[in-house]
Amino acid sequence: MPSLGLPRLHSPSSSDATALFITFFLVYVGLAWIVCGGDRWWVIDFVDNENIFHGDDAYRFFLSRSAWINPDLYTYNFVLPGQLLLDGSITALLSGDLFLARCFHAAFGAAAISLVYLSGIELKIPRITMLSAVLLMGLLPRYALMSLSFYGEAWLSFFICLSLWFYLKKKYIIMAFVASWMPLLRPEGFFFLAPLCLQMLLKKRFSEFLLLLLPGSLYFFYLFFSLESLSDYTFWRMELRKILEKVARRTSIGDPLEFYSFFLVAPAGLALFLRKTLRLWPFIMGGIVWLAWLQASIIQGLAAFENRHFYILLPLVAMLWAIFISWIKVSLTGSCRVKYCHKMGSVAVAALALFVASKHIIKTDNLDQEIRKNGYSGLFNKVSQGRWDELYGYYPRKSLEGRKEIAEIASEILSRDSVIDKLAISTAVIFYEINPNNIPKDVTVGFLTNNYLEFYKILDGQTFIQHPGKKMYTYLDYGEPDFRPGEKRALIISPMPLSNYPYTWVRGANQLYLFSYLESWAPKTNIEEIPRLIP
């Protein structure tokens, strides 16, 4: 039977990779159940003062469920077509079940860990060192929780790992096919694609070079012929940026040591100067250029730093960490003739990995707050006694039912009132419950990107919604409907300080309003003259 050029998996390292996959898959499925299974959804996802779920993650889940319904999504760069095709297929296959969809993501997060391990073995990094590196990577809260999310970074990280493995195995045609999709998963995928294109040119592998460019080129032509103007593709982000600039946010890329331990970042940084790292240069260069571009965008006011921006670098950081630690280990024990010296070195490497992983786990916001308040002894007492509700909050069954009820009410009103053509939501968790199949095709579903206080202070009562289709954003002015002919009406799911308003539905903490509205594509206030808001 002819070979397809795929790497052979029947090797001594394959059993390790399989064990890693099974172990981390089960761990991540357990996390998925904790955050979105059963009668309680625990809030354990606050890492470095930012949450991972229940915000943009929920909106992306809704968009994934709409992937086969709304063709406008494929020109809406809040999600890119590669992610839409992948998550759209998963959510369709699983009938929109959030927990099962997160389990599906858990499989790819675990698979990425196995791929990083196999890549390290391909670089001749010692087995124990590489096992320690991926153990550290997989236990990082940022990696574990983001792997369950619907952010495009989760897919891009997996594709980077898969591309790296094929690249090191010198299976360039398969690598090119996989890597060609990276810019269609997240925009920063381009920064990883460009060095690979250069490498293929240097190797005079023109077929691979052209294959790397093919999907992105086809998508460009699709946008060119689909949009009235290519500027519409990104203009809504520029409009949104005017508003977000007035809300106090981080304005620098941040110190990596603020988010990751010195014992993780420093070895990875020093590994950049080692010879073995040269084999990774296209991927390392992609990460460096991406960070430089992000920093420049932040300085120019075109972007704001979010901790998830570091996520796609974690597999490379784990590889670099392993390269440096193996070099140190060889340097210290290479000429050692003491009995068990090499075994002691391996134990020290594993202990270091567990130490760094533990340091990151206890650094998550809830545990860090407990330590600051009651010390390590207070944390140990609560953990040992299972007093988890004193460490973490959760959404009880009643709260979850309230979400479902408000989503059902919205769907029912939309089915009865054909004049309503907009559904705008700022309570992001409702996106987990809204079924796009129950929304009429002529209804635009928008994400209210700012809360009531922000749009009241900045926009004088207007709201800004982003959405697929047309200009991909709209400013809305609200009023009480009188149901006259020609009136435009919208449903709004957002907390508002309105009392005795007649068209209000409340279920738990969720509020639904029916308004008449006027729309425009420019704010009625001069946003530049509005002072920045302090949270």
Side-chain angles (χ1 to χ4, degrees):
M1 182 176 179
S3 172
L4 296 177
L6 291 171
R8 296 179 64 184
L9 295 179
H10 300 292
S11 64
S13 58
S14 63
S15 59
D16 288 341
T18 301
L20 284 167
F21 171 79
I22 294 173
T23 299
F24 279 103
F25 174 67
L26 293 176
V27 170
Y28 293 167
V29 166
L31 289 176
W33 180 258
I34 290 172
V35 300
C36 66
D39 293 336
R40 290 185 180 184
W41 291 13
W42 291 85
V43 182
I44 64 170
D45 60 316
F46 277 86
V47 183
D48 300 312
N49 299 313
E50 290 182 6
N51 68 310
I52 295 172
F53 308 131
H54 314 301
D56 284 0
D57 174 73
Y59 184 42
R60 285 175 165 86
F61 176 72
F62 170 80
L63 295 178
S64 297
R65 296 185 68 188
S66 308
W68 309 112
I69 302 172
N70 186 357
D72 287 336
L73 285 175
Y74 293 91
T75 59
Y76 178 45
N77 76 345
F78 189 79
V79 286
L80 295 185
Q83 180 194 353
L84 276 175
L85 292 172
L86 290 166
D87 278 331
S89 299
I90 290 172
T91 53
L93 178 66
L94 301 174
S95 301
D97 188 290
L98 177 61
F99 168 66
L100 293 180
R102 291 214 193 280
C103 290
F104 222 107
H105 273 255
F108 287 95
I113 292 172
S114 296
L115 289 167
V116 171
Y117 172 77
L118 291 171
S119 297
I121 297 301
E122 192 67 26
L123 286 176
K124 308 298 187 223
I125 299 175
R127 174 174 173 266
I128 296 299
T129 301
M130 204 58 228
L131 284 171
S132 300
V134 296
L135 177 69
L136 170 54
M137 168 186 162
L139 291 178
L140 288 176
R142 171 66 56 185
Y143 182 85
L145 294 169
M146 276 286 291
S147 295
L148 303 176
S149 76
F150 294 90
Y151 288 97
E153 287 90 344
W155 283 116
L156 179 55
S157 176
F158 173 76
F159 272 64
I160 289 173
C161 295
L162 186 58
S163 301
L164 175 61
W165 184 51
F166 282 125
Y167 176 81
L168 293 175
K169 299 292 288 187
K170 298 183 178 179
K171 305 298 180 180
Y172 296 122
I173 194 70
I174 307 173
M175 179 279 297
F177 174 76
V178 173
S180 67
W181 286 92
M182 292 195 295
L184 301 184
L185 298 167
R186 282 287 303 173
E188 56 265 33
F190 171 80
F191 296 101
F192 291 88
L193 183 72
L196 287 171
C197 288
L198 177 59
Q199 177 73 327
M200 293 302 101
L201 285 177
L202 293 174
K203 290 180 175 290
K204 298 182 178 180
R205 304 190 72 97
F206 302 113
S207 297
E208 287 83 351
F209 171 76
L210 293 175
L211 180 55
L212 283 166
L213 297 177
L214 181 60
S217 300
L218 292 175
Y219 183 57
F220 172 82
F221 286 114
Y222 174 77
L223 292 176
F224 183 82
F225 291 107
S226 299
L227 297 173
E228 292 184 9
S229 170
L230 283 175
S231 63
D232 289 343
Y233 188 64
T234 56
F235 186 76
W236 70 270
R237 287 186 179 273
M238 298 171 64
E239 195 70 17
L240 175 59
R241 179 55 46 196
K242 297 177 185 177
I243 300 171
L244 296 182
E245 283 178 353
K246 298 301 178 179
V247 182
R249 293 170 180 262
R250 290 179 183 170
T251 56
S252 69
I253 195 169
D255 182 356
L257 293 177
E258 179 183 351
F259 308 106
Y260 300 104
S261 166
F262 172 85
F263 296 101
L264 173 63
V265 175
L270 292 172
L272 294 173
F273 303 98
L274 298 179
R275 180 176 298 178
K276 189 172 288 189
T277 305
L278 289 176
R279 287 192 64 187
L280 306 175
W281 82 263
F283 295 87
I284 300 300
M285 185 57 63
I288 292 174
V289 175
W290 150 239
L291 286 178
W293 180 87
L294 177 63
Q295 179 64 53
S297 299
I298 293 170
I299 292 173
Q300 295 174 11
L302 300 176
F305 173 70
E306 297 181 43
N307 298 338
R308 63 188 174 93
H309 291 146
F310 279 145
Y311 172 79
I312 60 173
L313 302 179
L314 290 178
L316 298 178
V317 169
M319 290 285 292
L320 292 171
W321 187 88
I323 289 172
F324 182 79
I325 293 298
S326 65
W327 179 78
I328 285 290
K329 181 183 173 186
V330 169
S331 301
L332 295 178
T333 65
S335 58
C336 179
R337 297 182 179 180
V338 178
K339 191 176 182 180
Y340 303 123
C341 182
H342 294 283
K343 290 185 178 180
M344 292 173 61
S346 297
V347 171
V349 170
L352 176 61
L354 287 173
F355 166 76
V356 177
S358 301
K359 187 175 179 64
H360 283 84
I361 292 171
I362 64 174
K363 187 175 170 288
T364 53
D365 292 10
N366 295 69
L367 300 184
D368 182 61
Q369 291 173 13
E370 178 63 26
I371 291 171
R372 292 174 184 272
K373 184 178 179 180
N374 297 313
Y376 286 96
S377 60
L379 175 63
F380 176 78
N381 287 335
K382 289 183 179 179
V383 170
S384 62
Q385 297 172 21
R387 292 152 57 191
W388 299 108
D389 56 343
E390 297 181 30
L391 294 173
Y392 298 100
Y394 61 86
Y395 295 100
R397 182 174 182 175
K398 186 176 181 179
S399 175
L400 300 178
E401 289 176 347
R403 294 183 194 173
K404 292 181 180 180
E405 290 175 8
I406 213 75
E408 290 171 356
I409 292 171
S411 297
E412 183 181 351
I413 294 174
L414 288 172
S415 68
R416 293 202 315 256
D417 189 343
S418 61
V419 175
I420 299 174
D421 62 357
K422 282 188 173 50
L423 170 62
I425 301 172
S426 75
T427 308
V429 291
I430 300 299
F431 281 114
Y432 288 133
E433 305 298 341
I434 291 285
N435 186 344
N437 293 296
N438 295 337
I439 297 175
K441 291 184 178 181
D442 58 345
V443 173
T444 297
V445 180
F447 189 12
L448 276 167
T449 52
N450 38 327
N451 62 38
Y452 178 84
L453 179 60
E454 289 170 353
F455 71 66
Y456 180 79
K457 292 285 188 180
I458 298 174
L459 300 175
D460 193 24
Q462 277 185 313
T463 65
F464 176 96
I465 63 171
Q466 62 180 73
H467 54 78
K470 298 182 179 179
K471 292 183 177 294
M472 305 184 204
Y473 76 92
T474 312
Y475 287 94
L476 300 178
D477 268 303
Y478 301 129
E480 184 175 331
D482 55 17
F483 303 96
R484 69 183 185 278
E487 180 184 63
K488 291 186 174 182
R489 294 194 285 275
L491 284 179
I492 309 298
I493 301 178
S494 176
M496 294 185 183
L498 300 179
S499 59
N500 300 319
Y501 182 72
Y503 305 107
T504 303
W505 295 262
V506 178
R507 296 295 184 275
N510 308 292
Q511 302 170 29
L512 170 66
Y513 299 93
L514 173 65
F515 293 114
S516 61
Y517 76 88
L518 298 175
E519 64 183 336
S520 63
W521 289 271
K524 61 185 180 183
T525 60
N526 188 340
I527 296 179
E528 294 181 358
E529 296 180 355
I530 302 296
R532 295 185 77 214
L533 299 183
I534 305 301

